[in-house]
Amino acid sequence: LPVAADSTGHAFASLDSNLVQVQGFETAVTTRNRPQTGAKIYLPHAGVFSTLRIASPALAYWVKAAAADTLVYPSSPVPGVPAARSEGGVVLEEPAVQPTEQWIALYGSLRDWQGRPAAVGTRVEAVDGDGAVAGAGTVESPGLYGYLPVYLDDPATPEDEGAVVDEWLTLRVDGVPTGTRVRWTAFGDVVACDLVVPEDRGAVGDPVPTRYALYVPRPNPFNPTTTIRYDLAESGPVRLSLFTATGQVLRQLVSASQAAGAHNVVWDGRDDAGAEVSSGVYLARLEAGDFRAVTRMVLMK
């Protein structure tokens, strides 16, 4: 790496469009005088989600590329980059979370059942089947969380640090089950997972669904937001699209690979350009695997 610290994007810029992700791991050795913070993740164009914001000399990184390439470190850093490492995004301060050197990363929107964005400081947890907190962090941007590292248990230690491969984990917000679960798949996987806190704050999350389903949005009719719920029986590519009653494409709410489980997406009554739509009937179409379904909602202003 360059003699001075550099922004991660600039340090790995020679990989250009081949760069898929960069991952790092901060320990008490690499981050002296601060608590161990664990996994840091950088994806190009990820905006607020990336937590590996600064690359530092003499440290190692995992780099995933789409094709064979040669990494050439820049001769000088971007002006103004601090010499010390950035604090980054999710800081793990609770001793209940024990970072290990394998993890997956979760990210997405986070709202309450009325569609209001979660406030800065809202806590998100991923809990394994034995009750161990495998990942935890706090919201830094209103209505968004991630990248949240969810750690794999280290079999070489007697402690239960987190998940085992293929285990389902429950997601909680401020201690409340969201009804959404994710499966720990493979080290380095990055999973989109939008969360909504249930209306009944005492509700217990549903079991992992065995079938696909698309539910009628709530509230319906609505103004200005409604929550669209759906179940995925298997992980894989998902498309959730909105249409007018005449079949005109209005907005792409989801176009990503998602984990099996219960999912929630809030629609704010806007199209892909960000413009508010008028009162009327709208359709939501879910495509996942071989499953196709359409539900109807009414916007009343």
Side-chain angles (χ1 to χ4, degrees):
L1 283 175
V3 175
D6 199 356
S7 71
T8 309
H10 186 251
F12 293 91
S14 64
L15 298 181
D16 197 26
S17 60
N18 278 334
L19 181 62
V20 177
Q21 64 177 250
V22 181
Q23 305 220 29
F25 189 82
E26 294 186 345
T27 68
V29 174
T30 60
T31 54
R32 295 179 178 87
N33 304 319
R34 289 200 289 110
Q36 178 176 347
T37 54
K40 296 293 183 182
I41 302 155
Y42 171 82
L43 272 73
H45 315 299
V48 297
F49 292 118
S50 283
T51 52
L52 181 59
R53 299 167 184 166
I54 302 297
S56 293
L59 297 182
Y61 297 91
W62 291 271
V63 180
K64 183 177 181 180
D69 207 335
T70 300
L71 175 61
V72 179
Y73 293 115
S75 58
S76 60
V78 172
V81 173
R85 288 181 66 80
S86 167
E87 291 278 343
V90 177
V91 178
L92 305 176
E93 299 175 347
E94 302 83 355
V97 179
Q98 299 295 325
T100 65
E101 293 188 5
Q102 291 197 62
W103 61 84
I104 63 173
L106 308 180
Y107 75 99
S109 64
L110 176 57
R111 297 176 179 271
D112 67 14
W113 66 278
Q114 294 179 313
R116 297 172 297 195
V120 171
T122 301
R123 179 176 169 81
V124 181
E125 296 177 322
V127 183
D128 72 8
D130 296 321
V133 180
T138 56
V139 170
E140 289 196 329
S141 298
L144 299 172
Y145 80 97
Y147 291 114
L148 175 67
V150 180
Y151 296 98
L152 188 71
D153 179 52
D154 183 353
T157 66
E159 296 82 15
D160 179 6
E161 295 98 347
V164 296
V165 176
D166 288 332
E167 181 179 11
W168 289 92
L169 299 105
T170 300
L171 299 183
R172 302 190 306 209
V173 175
D174 286 339
V176 179
T178 62
T180 298
R181 299 186 182 187
V182 296
R183 186 169 64 90
W184 205 101
T185 47
F187 171 50
D189 283 354
V190 177
V191 181
C193 186
D194 295 326
L195 299 177
V196 174
V197 181
E199 176 180 2
D200 179 1
R201 296 187 64 84
V204 177
D206 295 331
V208 177
T210 58
R211 63 184 183 87
Y212 292 93
L214 175 64
Y215 301 99
V216 175
R218 290 186 58 197
N220 192 16
F222 71 97
N223 181 23
T225 64
T226 189
T227 299
I228 303 171
R229 297 174 48 243
Y230 56 94
D231 292 343
L232 302 178
E234 297 179 1
S235 301
V238 175
R239 289 174 62 90
L240 181 63
S241 310
L242 299 182
F243 299 85
T244 65
T246 59
Q248 178 184 356
V249 178
L250 186 69
R251 185 169 176 180
Q252 194 74 47
L253 282 179
V254 177
S255 181
S257 179
Q258 292 189 322
H263 293 264
N264 305 273
V265 179
V266 174
W267 182 38
D268 58 4
R270 297 177 182 270
D271 60 18
D272 266 332
E276 293 185 357
V277 302
S278 59
S279 298
V281 177
Y282 296 93
L283 305 174
R285 175 182 170 85
L286 177 66
E287 302 172 68
D290 295 329
F291 179 78
R292 302 288 185 273
V294 176
T295 190
R296 176 178 176 272
M297 66 201 97
V298 178
L299 173 60
M300 295 183 64
K301 295 186 175 181

